[in-house]
Every structure is written in structure tokens, then in C-alpha cells.
Amino acid sequence: AQSVTQLDSHVSVSEGTPVLLRCNYSSSYSPSLFWYVQHPNKGLQLLLKYTSAATLVKGINGFEAEFKKSETSFHLTKPSAHMSDAAEYFCVVSLSGYSTLTFGKGTMLLVSP
Amino acid sequence: DTEVTQTPKHLVMGMTNKKSLKCEQHMGHRAMYWYKQKAKKPPELMFVYSYEKLSINESVPSRFSPECPNSSLLNLHLHALQPEDSALYLCASSQEPGQGRIYEQYFGPGTRLTVT
């Protein structure tokens, strides 16, 4: 079985400050991990993915995430928040060879001027 | 081109109506998916098609009927829906997962469905 826990339902930051969105996973096997972003009334956009290559993964729009097997974590970071980053972020896990995704409950990122 | 398109963007239907949602991708993906997303919740998987054949049905009520006419198109036929079926319906596609391989899913913008 696999599961994903996003540790914060809401995160508030000021524009220009760092962003940290936390995600822990549980999986019996080596997982693949993704972060998706969803702006209001839009579909999901892939930010980045981890598939057992480099543990530090760089994504679009300045986001990156680090896979830490010992901590079963895959936290998403960005050095400097922009107003356009305000959205819902989903941490997602999938097992090798399977097509189904397991979503976390989501973290709403709020960015204030 | 990594685009998945969905039509219509918005749909309002009565409980006795029959309507269809459409999804299209031209990325050569052989796996396509339907998800349902309620407000402030993550998407929930409904159906998976692999090489135009239904491979996963997550115990979805029969009032939702999927169809995959070809490798680029995915439809969701709706009939006798209930108000609680109102949601954002998302389509996604990916390369076909296989042994030791995971491919990301690309999502469309969704159809906002309201059942009155």
C-alpha cells in the first residue's frame, strides 16, 4: 500500500520569501513522486518528478524538491515566492509499473504582497 | 505539444439529460484517465484506458459511461446524474506504464459540471 501526507493544509508567505511545502510518503516499494500545481478553476500542471535518478529534482518556475529516503519525505521548495505561485499544490506517489496515482490532500499556498 | 484538451469547459444539465464530455490528446499516449474532483479535494480516479481498452473502473456508478473511440480521444457519457455528481471532471493521459517505468500524467483543464 502507498500513501501521501501533506503536513500543512495552508501555507502563507510574503512575496520574495522562501516557500516550503512538506510531503511525507509511505510505500512498500521504491516509489515515483510528483508535485502538481492547480490554479483556481484549472487543471493540474506537473511541477517536477522523482523517478530514482538524482535525489534533488529541479522543476519549472524555480521549484525544486529533495527525495530523502531515510525520512520518507519529498518536500517542495522555492527560494523566492511570486504572487503567481498562489495555488493548490498536490504531492503524488505512484508505484513502478502501475498507472494509478495516490494524491495527498493538497496544500494551499497563499502569497501576500 | 503536451496539451490535453477538454470540451466543454462548463456544462449544466438536468437529472434527466444525457450529455457527453470529450477529451483529446495528440502526444501519442496510450493510457488515458478520467478523474472527478470536488471542491478543495484532490482528484479521484474514475477510469483508466490502456490501448483503448478499459483497464480500471473504480466502482463508478453506471450513470457514468466511458468510451475510447481511438487512441487520441476519450469520452465520458453522462445519464441520469444526481446533484452530488456536480464537480470538476479532469482528463489525463500518459505513456503506458510498464515494468520499472513510471510516466507522468498530463491533465486537461477540466469540465465544470453542474447537475440541477
Side-chain angles (χ1 to χ4, degrees):
Chain A
Q2 57 191 22
S3 66
V4 176
T5 302
Q6 292 185 244
L7 298 166
D8 305 292
S9 60
H10 293 81
V11 170
S12 295
V13 300
S14 298
E15 191 175 21
T17 64
V19 175
L20 170 64
L21 305 183
R22 299 182 295 166
C23 172
N24 286 110
Y25 70 92
S26 172
S27 176
S28 302
Y29 303 98
S30 296
S32 288
L33 294 157
F34 308 86
W35 276 99
Y36 281 87
V37 61
Q38 186 175 31
H39 289 90
N41 298 310
K42 301 289 186 183
L44 278 73
Q45 181 183 20
L46 180 68
L47 280 178
L48 49 81
K49 64 178 180 179
Y50 166 77
T51 54
S52 75
T55 56
L56 183 62
V57 182
K58 293 187 182 299
I60 62 171
N61 300 335
F63 285 94
E64 63 181 37
E66 186 172 9
F67 175 73
K68 292 186 177 180
K69 186 175 182 179
S70 60
E71 299 176 10
T72 61
S73 69
F74 190 57
H75 301 335
L76 182 70
T77 61
K78 182 174 181 178
S80 176
H82 192 273
M83 294 296 291
S84 61
D85 294 328
E88 186 90 32
Y89 291 79
F90 292 101
C91 182
V92 181
V93 64
S94 183
L95 287 178
S96 172
Y98 289 86
S99 58
T100 57
L101 304 178
T102 299
F103 286 81
K105 293 187 176 182
T107 297
M108 177 64 71
L109 177 64
L110 306 168
V111 183
S112 57
Chain B
D1 182 10
T2 57
E3 187 178 25
V4 176
T5 59
Q6 291 186 242
T7 55
K9 290 187 177 181
H10 301 275
L11 178 63
V12 180
M13 59 185 292
M15 289 188 286
T16 58
N17 291 158
K18 287 185 179 180
K19 296 287 185 182
S20 296
L21 310 184
K22 296 184 184 300
C23 172
E24 189 168 6
Q25 58 88 15
H26 294 288
M27 294 178 277
H29 290 168
R30 304 311 297 269
M32 297 186 76
Y33 313 79
W34 278 116
Y35 290 85
K36 173 183 178 180
Q37 186 179 26
K38 302 285 276 185
K40 302 188 185 303
K41 298 288 188 182
E44 297 174 359
L45 183 66
M46 299 174 72
F47 303 103
V48 180
Y49 272 83
S50 174
Y51 291 92
E52 295 110 69
K53 294 189 187 305
L54 184 65
S55 63
I56 295 176
N57 176 343
E58 292 286 357
S59 302
V60 179
S62 60
R63 58 185 184 268
F64 295 91
S65 176
E67 178 195 21
C68 191
N70 60 56
S71 60
S72 299
L73 292 175
L74 186 65
N75 298 321
L76 186 62
H77 303 297
L78 314 172
H79 174 56
L81 295 193
Q82 303 297 310
E84 58 265 29
D85 296 322
S86 299
L88 181 67
Y89 288 83
L90 294 163
C91 173
S93 72
S94 73
Q95 296 185 54
E96 173 62 20
Q99 187 65 30
R101 301 192 306 271
I102 286 287
Y103 298 108
E104 61 271 27
Q105 293 184 20
Y106 293 89
F107 285 80
T111 293
R112 176 71 62 185
L113 174 67
T114 303
V115 181
T116 61

